Amino acid sequence: GAGVSQSPSNKVTEKGKDVELRCDPISGHTALYWYRQSLGQGLEFLIYFQGNSAPDKSGLPSDRFSAERTGGSVSTLTIQRTQQEDSAVYLCASSPQGLALAKNIQYFGAGTRLSVL
Amino acid sequence: SQKIEQNSEALNIQEGKTATLTCNYTNYSPAYLQWYRQDPGRGPVFLLLIRENEKEKRKERLKVTFDTTLKQSLFHITASQPADSATYLCAVDNSGYALNFGKGTSLLVTP
């Protein structure tokens, strides 16, 4: 596609429900990243994929958060038993390469705004 | 601990002037540093990358400097326009694949 696509753009859920956020990266980009941006805060790194594997999951806030990537393309971020503090904008980015020698320029989607009531 | 600091206060300048934004980092030895622009309700958009062995990089009205001794990058927009109003994020290379972002500085250019 032309850019990184994220869906839904907005999600309102009740505390305790599970949610799935989807990211469709730029075709051919091998690296994929999830970030969280809370109001007035910077981007918080969550997880990085190189292909289908996730070498770095260190940013996931708790075991309620998980992510997968299939076919080296689409990624899903799942939050189980959502809490009010999970409310934020979840941003996905992709990059042509994620290796040390690469420039690692990241192309972002518009994000999913999650509101947990 | 590692930190990336950008001016938290918004920068208000008049159209036509030069805007200068600062990014300071602590406990990083980045191979490169990037600047992104973020508009409300949108994801960040890449603007410029500067490597550790480059002192300065330019692109149209944008200029970035990188001082690895001071651990600082300056981002300049010359002849600023109201359309330049946005939040500007500094991002530091970490671990070779991840980027750590500052919280950003909001720029408002008034006619």
Side-chain angles (χ1 to χ4, degrees):
Chain A
V4 177
S5 178
Q6 291 188 246
S7 61
S9 54
N10 282 285
K11 176 72 177 178
V12 180
T13 191
E14 292 179 352
K15 179 181 170 181
K17 301 277 190 185
D18 297 352
V19 295
E20 278 191 359
L21 312 180
R22 177 188 167 107
C23 173
D24 204 339
I26 292 173
S27 178
H29 281 195
T30 56
L32 186 146
Y33 308 81
W34 284 98
Y35 295 87
R36 179 167 71 174
Q37 189 172 35
S38 303
L39 192 62
Q41 300 298 311
L43 274 72
E44 177 189 2
F45 169 78
L46 298 179
I47 189 169
Y48 152 70
F49 286 92
Q50 181 61 27
N52 289 338
S53 63
D56 190 351
K57 303 179 183 179
S58 63
L60 293 178
S62 74
D63 58 8
R64 296 185 297 104
F65 287 72
S66 63
E68 65 174 14
R69 189 180 185 194
T70 55
S73 182
V74 172
S75 176
T76 303
L77 177 69
T78 301
I79 310 173
Q80 295 179 307
R81 304 180 303 281
T82 52
Q83 304 293 313
Q84 287 183 331
E85 62 262 28
D86 299 333
S87 296
V89 176
Y90 289 81
L91 289 161
C92 174
S94 69
S95 179
Q97 296 181 60
L99 303 177
L101 296 178
K103 291 180 182 181
N104 197 25
I105 294 169
Q106 298 189 12
Y107 298 81
F108 284 83
T112 294
R113 181 175 297 278
L114 175 65
S115 300
V116 182
L117 304 179
Chain B
S1 62
Q2 294 178 318
K3 285 184 188 176
I4 301 169
E5 292 178 328
Q6 296 186 252
N7 284 359
S8 57
E9 288 184 17
L11 179 62
N12 291 351
I13 65 166
Q14 204 169 13
E15 183 176 9
K17 302 288 187 185
T18 296
T20 299
L21 286 68
T22 305
C23 174
N24 294 298
Y25 59 90
T26 309
N27 291 328
Y28 285 100
S29 295
Y32 54 83
L33 186 147
Q34 300 183 27
W35 283 87
Y36 288 75
R37 168 183 172 143
Q38 187 172 23
D39 291 282
R42 311 288 290 271
V45 174
F46 170 76
L47 295 175
L48 279 170
L49 177 150
I50 186 165
R51 293 187 173 83
E52 60 179 336
N53 60 351
E54 296 175 319
K55 292 257 189 264
E56 181 180 297
K57 200 81 168 278
R58 289 176 186 262
K59 179 183 174 183
E60 297 172 354
R61 294 184 296 110
L62 309 180
K63 183 178 88 171
V64 172
T65 63
F66 192 9
D67 189 326
T68 55
T69 301
L70 290 179
K71 296 189 181 295
Q72 181 182 78
S73 175
L74 298 178
F75 177 79
H76 305 271
I77 306 175
T78 58
S80 58
Q81 303 167 359
D84 296 327
S85 299
T87 296
Y88 291 86
L89 305 172
C90 161
V92 171
D93 155 52
N94 186 28
S95 307
Y97 58 83
L99 291 176
N100 280 13
F101 286 82
K103 292 184 181 180
T105 298
S106 176
L107 172 67
L108 179 62
V109 181
T110 52

